[in-house]
Amino acid sequence: QVQLVESGGGLVQAGGSLRLSCVVSGGTFSRYAMGWFRQAPGKEREFVTAVTWSGYTHRADFVKGRFTISRDNAKNTVYLQMNSLEPEDTAVYYCAADQTIVLHTTAGPYDYWGPGTQVTVSS
């Protein structure tokens, strides 16, 4: 059974940084495309960024170069480095694994999800 567990969320002031981690167990991590999504209160879950098994990345326009996704296949871990955080970034952040080789920017194709980690940015 594939399990994902996020960590690294918390409370940070605007302009600050956080690094989220997502550890994957029970599957073949190196073959998954990995994505980060977020969901703010009252809003739909939205795509943040993703990386394919080969290292190709794509990110949402609102990231504006502030967020970077990376993966360490030896540690079965994907990271989300978030800099210059804004109050609008406040949300629960989820990592997800996709067994296909295509990078998807919608939630539907992802097969496995973590429980999420809360990120709160104060003004």
Side-chain angles (χ1 to χ4, degrees):
Q1 184 177 358
V2 179
Q3 292 187 324
L4 286 68
V5 179
E6 305 96 337
S7 61
L11 174 64
V12 63
Q13 290 187 332
S17 298
L18 282 174
R19 188 194 195 202
L20 306 183
S21 300
C22 174
V23 178
V24 180
S25 61
T28 309
F29 176 79
S30 61
R31 296 182 181 177
Y32 298 148
M34 298 298 300
W36 285 98
F37 290 76
R38 70 184 188 183
Q39 188 166 17
K43 296 187 177 181
E44 294 187 353
R45 190 168 300 189
E46 65 178 349
F47 172 79
V48 178
T49 184
V51 58
T52 66
W53 66 272
S54 61
Y56 173 78
T57 63
H58 181 72
R59 52 194 179 192
D61 289 343
F62 67 77
V63 170
K64 301 175 185 177
R66 300 179 297 131
F67 297 179
T68 302
I69 189 171
S70 62
R71 66 189 299 160
D72 185 338
N73 289 341
K75 296 182 178 181
N76 287 2
T77 302
V78 62
Y79 304 98
L80 181 63
Q81 178 66 45
M82 303 187 294
N83 300 325
S84 301
L85 283 161
E86 304 167 351
E88 294 73 21
D89 295 317
T90 295
V92 177
Y93 284 71
Y94 300 89
C95 72
D98 180 356
Q99 297 182 90
T100 69
I101 63 172
V102 177
L103 190 152
H104 292 105
T105 60
T106 57
Y110 287 82
D111 302 288
Y112 308 105
W113 291 82
T117 185
Q118 176 71 46
V119 171
T120 303
V121 184
S122 62
S123 57

